[in-house]
Amino acid sequence: MSGLYSTLNVAVRGMNSQQTAIDVTSHNIANANTDGYSRQRALMETTTPFGMPSMNNAVGPGQLGTGVQVSSITRIRDTYLDYQVRTENGTMGLYQGREKFLTEVESIFNEVSETGVSNMLSEVFKSWSALSTSPESSNTRTVVAQKSKALTDQLNSTYNQLSKLKVNCQDVIQKDVVDINGMLDQINDLNQQVISVKIGGNEPNDLMDKRDLLVDQLSSKFGITIDKKTLGGEDLKATDNVGGADPTKDLYLVKSDPTKDVSRFSYVSTIVPSKGSTQKQGETGSYDVTYYKNGDTSTDANKVTMTISLTATDYTSLDQGRVILADKEGYAIDKTGIRLAGIDSNSNPIPKSGSTENIAATWSNIERFEPKTGELNGYKSVQTDIDTYISNLDNMAKAIAYSVNAVHSGNQADTAGELKFFVNSNTKGKEEEITAGNIAVNGDILKDVMKIKVGKGDTPKATDGSRALAISMLRDIKLNIQKIGPETTRDGLLSGYFSDDTTLGVKMVNSSSDGMTISGDFTDIINRLADQTQYAQKTVKNNTTLLAGLEQSRTSISGVSLDEEMANLIQFQHAYAANAKIISTVDELLDLIVNGLKK
């Protein structure tokens, strides 16, 4: 029933509700600069009124309110904007990863300086041209030898730096794997805490903010999908996993049900030919694949080795990706969750997963993580580019060595006993398996430059300069460089394009109608690199603008506005004071009734 005591209770409820609203406002102001924080709001509702329809009060003036209460404290969040931000984070991560390493590739080639490969290549051909006019001079011969050595040194250096950059890229992947597993564990813990608080009937706003912040950070690593579950739980799964035994299945990384199995990631550190195997690195054959559980390379206790048969294509895919799916303990699994057989760092078999026997690892059942977006995809794709540039340099090195050696020796095919100008530094005086990483000027020539063949004769003593001129003319000769492969020989490259030149009186390489010059081929490499780098930079710039707009929209909804919070604070303060005034008034009325009746 109504009365002064009822009015007193209404005022008390009002003061308590306004006090809660002030507390929420204070919390918002305190976290105005907290990363990932979503502003909160105390939702108020009226309490159950007097005069609810019943047998005793069927007729009356109407319902009489009993005051206010805080129904819940909610956070202001737009899930659609979260989805948009996380999608763009994946694209940003992809191209930021590419831009970072492609920019370093450009620095390695260093084509804007005088020490760039193209400038040195031009200097080499100029030195041969100068030698053709002064064939008898040891000085011009020395210039040819030293200019050529400078070119090979630069090719060696570029090759080695590119190879090292690829290793650096893989190191970044390893660190990402550790970070990702750590974030997944934190998200899982927060998930369970959120559910526990929800079961208790409260709103775990700050816990959900922490979880969302981690999910935002994770979305830059690879594409993710969030499935909302009851009691505030979330199932998190990776999207676009295109590798492994069953690329179409859902890859769950966090589940609201703690009893369900989820996946983690491990890092492949080395892929080496198995003991007794005859294949070279990268060729089809049996390999010992060593991975570290959960990517943690700090201790050998996490190291596991599997033996797998790989084709050359499989090897390349695993070498560039390096990330495989694992169970919670970090052991590699197949699509059904069964651990793949291997041995640990002490050569002991890995433990069984449950009661199921471990199965042998094969390329068809090993689960590889190959997302289509995010940093991990960016680092994988840039390794493909680095491998391509290394291959392009190898082809160019072969073209230089084969063409110069052919004219210098007068032989279309590699002939035993001939004096080669360019050789493989890992073999004595041979050009087989020559690459940009091992191409070198023949040490015999560097010791005695008079051994350089410059004229029509078969001996270095000929001084008419015809052979040197023929080599200098290689600058404008079109070769089938684009068709060179790891197994291409001198004879294979020059077959049909090597014949006597009646003008010079020496054998000369002829142009191919669909070939490229050596300098033109290198220019094409640099142009492709520039295009890839510029595209990555433009995409990063565009996505930065797009993300900034999305973040601004999200902040306008979820962010804390100090002006708004101060206005709310004043409003709640006045309401609190008004409720206090009601209590004071009721006190006076009660005093009048109790004490006034005595008179």
Side-chain angles (χ1 to χ4, degrees):
M1 61 181 294
S2 61
L4 288 178
Y5 285 109
S6 175
T7 304
L8 184 64
N9 287 332
V10 170
V12 170
R13 291 192 190 100
M15 287 184 67
N16 289 336
S17 297
Q18 301 307 321
Q19 176 64 60
T20 301
I22 290 173
D23 289 341
V24 172
T25 302
S26 175
H27 186 55
N28 287 339
I29 294 172
N31 287 278
N33 296 316
T34 300
D35 209 13
Y37 179 79
S38 303
R39 68 186 176 95
Q40 299 176 14
R41 181 172 57 192
L43 296 181
M44 300 184 190
E45 64 179 11
T46 57
T47 53
T48 303
F50 284 129
M52 294 294 289
S54 68
M55 293 293 295
N56 297 325
N57 63 355
V59 179
Q63 290 183 332
L64 184 62
T66 59
V68 66
Q69 65 182 5
V70 175
S71 61
S72 65
I73 299 173
T74 62
R75 62 179 189 148
I76 311 301
R77 194 88 182 189
D78 189 320
T79 55
Y80 179 65
L81 280 175
D82 285 340
Y83 167 78
Q84 287 184 301
V85 168
R86 289 163 187 169
T87 299
E88 293 306 320
N89 277 343
T91 304
M92 175 68 86
L94 166 62
Y95 286 99
Q96 277 185 330
R98 287 185 57 77
E99 178 194 21
K100 174 183 177 180
F101 283 96
L102 288 174
T103 301
E104 291 192 46
V105 173
E106 280 193 322
S107 299
I108 289 171
F109 277 105
N110 196 26
E111 280 306 297
V112 296
S113 71
E114 294 182 357
T115 59
V117 171
S118 58
N119 185 67
M120 288 187 169
L121 192 61
S122 177
E123 290 296 315
V124 167
F125 287 123
K126 286 180 181 179
S127 68
W128 280 104
S129 179
L131 178 57
S132 68
T133 60
S134 304
E136 71 287 343
S137 172
S138 64
N139 289 337
T140 51
R141 290 169 183 258
T142 300
V143 171
V144 166
Q146 292 304 316
K147 291 287 186 182
S148 299
K149 185 178 184 303
L151 173 63
T152 59
D153 288 346
Q154 184 61 28
L155 286 173
N156 297 163
S157 175
T158 302
Y159 178 97
N160 292 332
Q161 288 183 71
L162 287 176
S163 299
K164 184 177 180 181
L165 183 62
K166 182 179 176 181
V167 173
N168 292 343
C169 187
Q170 293 171 352
D171 288 342
V172 173
I173 291 177
Q174 181 267 325
K175 291 180 175 62
D176 261 3
V177 168
V178 174
D179 290 343
I180 288 169
N181 285 324
M183 283 190 280
L184 290 175
D185 289 341
Q186 291 180 65
I187 292 171
N188 182 69
D189 291 341
L190 287 168
N191 217 21
Q192 299 310 312
Q193 292 177 45
V194 166
I195 293 173
S196 298
V197 174
K198 281 278 192 178
I199 290 175
N202 294 315
E203 290 293 328
N205 297 316
D206 294 334
L207 292 175
M208 289 191 288
D209 280 344
K210 291 179 181 179
R211 185 178 62 183
D212 283 338
L213 179 60
L214 285 169
V215 172
D216 285 349
Q217 295 170 354
L218 189 66
S219 66
S220 68
K221 307 296 184 181
F222 54 84
I224 58 174
T225 299
I226 300 294
D227 292 337
K228 299 290 184 179
K229 299 297 179 181
T230 57
L231 296 174
E234 292 182 350
D235 285 357
L236 188 153
K237 59 184 178 181
T239 55
D240 297 328
N241 174 38
V242 298
D246 189 3
T248 61
K249 77 168 187 176
D250 288 331
L251 177 56
Y252 283 97
L253 304 173
V254 174
K255 283 192 173 182
S256 57
D257 185 348
T259 65
K260 299 296 184 181
D261 290 333
V262 292
S263 296
R264 290 294 182 265
F265 303 110
S266 289
Y267 172 74
V268 174
S269 59
T270 58
I271 312 168
V272 296
S274 302
K275 187 176 182 180
S277 300
T278 58
Q279 83 274 9
K280 297 176 183 176
Q281 191 77 17
E283 295 180 345
T284 299
S286 177
Y287 287 87
D288 288 338
V289 176
T290 298
Y291 68 87
Y292 280 83
K293 294 181 293 183
N294 296 320
D296 184 3
T297 59
S298 62
T299 173
D300 279 349
N302 294 324
K303 186 166 67 173
V304 178
T305 301
M306 305 180 294
T307 300
I308 307 178
S309 293
L310 302 174
T311 66
T313 302
D314 298 340
Y315 174 90
T316 300
S317 178
L318 187 59
D319 177 52
Q320 294 171 351
R322 297 279 170 166
V323 183
I324 58 176
L325 296 187
D327 57 21
K328 279 189 174 182
E329 294 181 52
Y331 290 104
I333 56 174
D334 75 344
K335 64 178 180 179
T336 62
I338 299 177
R339 290 178 182 172
L340 300 178
I343 58 174
D344 62 20
S345 57
N346 296 318
S347 299
N348 298 317
I350 66 171
K352 299 174 183 178
S353 49
S355 60
T356 309
E357 293 284 349
N358 298 326
I359 61 175
T362 65
W363 181 251
S364 61
N365 68 16
I366 186 173
E367 289 272 57
R368 306 171 307 281
F369 186 55
E370 300 174 356
K372 291 184 178 179
T373 188
E375 284 183 14
L376 289 181
N377 178 265
Y379 297 145
K380 181 182 185 298
S381 64
V382 86
Q383 286 183 79
T384 302
D385 296 327
I386 292 173
D387 282 343
T388 299
Y389 293 128
I390 290 176
S391 177
N392 292 155
L393 281 179
D394 288 344
N395 295 345
M396 190 181 76
K398 285 186 174 71
I400 294 171
Y402 291 165
S403 59
V404 171
N405 286 349
V407 178
H408 188 263
S409 66
N411 300 317
Q412 176 177 304
D414 185 358
T415 305
E418 70 177 20
L419 181 67
K420 299 176 179 62
F421 189 85
F422 290 110
V423 296
N424 180 340
S425 61
N426 297 327
T427 60
K428 295 182 179 180
K430 297 180 180 180
E431 68 179 21
E432 61 185 14
E433 299 182 2
I434 203 166
T435 67
N438 59 40
I439 187 173
V441 178
N442 194 322
D444 292 338
I445 289 177
L446 291 175
K447 292 176 183 177
D448 184 3
V449 296
M450 297 308 295
K451 290 184 177 180
I452 298 176
K453 294 183 179 181
V454 296
K456 297 177 183 177
D458 292 332
T459 64
K461 295 180 180 179
T463 56
D464 56 88
S466 300
R467 197 179 300 271
L469 181 59
I471 293 177
S472 71
M473 293 171 63
L474 290 173
R475 173 175 48 193
D476 302 317
I477 297 297
K478 294 181 179 180
L479 303 170
N480 290 319
I481 303 176
Q482 65 275 23
K483 296 180 181 180
I484 295 177
E487 305 300 325
T488 302
T489 62
R490 187 202 303 180
D491 186 43
L493 175 65
L494 301 180
S495 180
Y497 301 102
F498 192 69
S499 60
D500 290 321
D501 186 285
T502 55
T503 303
L504 297 177
V506 296
K507 289 190 175 181
M508 180 63 182
V509 177
N510 302 311
S511 282
S512 168
S513 59
D514 58 348
M516 301 178 68
T517 63
I518 294 173
S519 59
D521 175 68
F522 187 73
T523 300
D524 182 63
I525 294 173
I526 298 303
N527 288 341
R528 281 188 285 111
L529 172 59
D531 289 341
Q532 288 179 323
T533 306
Q534 288 175 8
Y535 182 78
Q537 291 172 338
K538 288 179 181 178
T539 305
V540 169
K541 183 178 180 180
N542 293 338
N543 269 75
T544 299
T545 303
L546 179 58
L547 267 174
L550 291 173
E551 287 289 358
Q552 185 175 4
S553 298
R554 188 160 70 167
T555 300
S556 67
I557 296 173
S558 301
V560 176
S561 169
L562 292 178
D563 291 339
E564 181 181 352
E565 297 301 327
M566 293 304 295
N568 289 339
L569 187 62
I570 294 172
Q571 177 184 347
F572 299 141
Q573 177 191 4
H574 287 173
Y576 185 92
N579 280 282
K581 182 62 176 177
I582 292 174
I583 293 176
S584 175
T585 301
V586 171
D587 178 62
E588 291 178 3
L589 293 174
L590 288 172
D591 178 69
L592 177 64
I593 293 174
V594 173
N595 297 318
L597 292 176
K598 294 179 180 180
K599 300 177 181 180

